[in-house]
Amino acid sequence: MSQPLFHLAFPVTDLARARAFYGGVLGCPEGRSSPEWVDFNFYGHQIVAHLSPDEAGHRNTSAVDGDNVPVRHFGAILSMQEWQALADRLTRAGTQFVIAPHVRFKGQAGEQATMFFLDPCGNALEFKAFANLSQVFAR
């Protein structure tokens, strides 16, 4: 394995809603599951939705380039084309964005397209894209 796979376990309030969102809206294939959790292939990485209603949802924000970014969030870095296709699909689906699709750090190191939204259980997700991947860790 040349590149390690990432694993993330996160809380949800309802497994059926998580399945509909991650499997249906985001198109992440489902893996193993039990009555308490379900695995998803999240862009080649393993995420696991665990039924834990009291822990789900975001609570705090932090200021980043003029936006109030949910502190606890996860997501993926996509190509610009994939990012735009996802933004368009989410917009057509009526997604209410926490931070609408836009370009952050415009003209600066680390310039990126970004968007934030909540899953049906209140967990924040960020999807971003860079015109040049060498800018992912740029200072």
Side-chain angles (χ1 to χ4, degrees):
M1 178 183 321
S2 61
Q3 180 76 21
L5 298 179
F6 188 78
H7 166 80
L8 173 73
F10 63 101
V12 296
T13 57
D14 184 298
L15 288 177
R17 293 178 79 191
R19 278 186 164 106
F21 179 77
Y22 290 94
V25 175
L26 294 183
C28 299
E30 187 174 322
R32 296 175 297 144
S33 66
S34 84
E36 301 296 318
W37 54 266
V38 59
D39 286 347
F40 295 98
N41 177 340
F42 188 75
Y43 299 91
H45 301 279
Q46 183 191 47
I47 62 170
V48 186
H50 285 270
L51 189 57
S52 186
D54 294 339
E55 293 185 48
H58 88 88
R59 292 165 181 81
N60 296 302
T61 61
S62 178
V64 177
D65 196 38
D67 290 321
N68 290 320
V69 170
V71 171
R72 188 172 70 175
H73 67 271
F74 68 95
I77 299 173
L78 306 175
S79 72
M80 275 297 182
Q81 184 177 358
E82 291 170 316
W83 181 87
Q84 189 62 60
L86 178 60
D88 293 345
R89 187 167 77 236
L90 291 168
T91 299
R92 282 191 307 274
T95 300
Q96 292 199 321
F97 292 96
V98 174
I99 299 173
H102 74 286
V103 175
R104 172 188 293 155
F105 305 129
K106 198 167 193 132
Q108 302 174 46
E111 179 177 306
Q112 60 196 258
T114 185
M115 62 181 146
F116 283 81
F117 51 91
L118 304 180
D119 74 9
C121 301
N123 296 302
L125 287 94
E126 176 186 21
F127 283 82
K128 57 174 73 177
F130 294 80
N132 182 343
L133 283 178
S134 71
Q135 292 291 297
V136 171
F137 297 107
R139 300 175 116 202

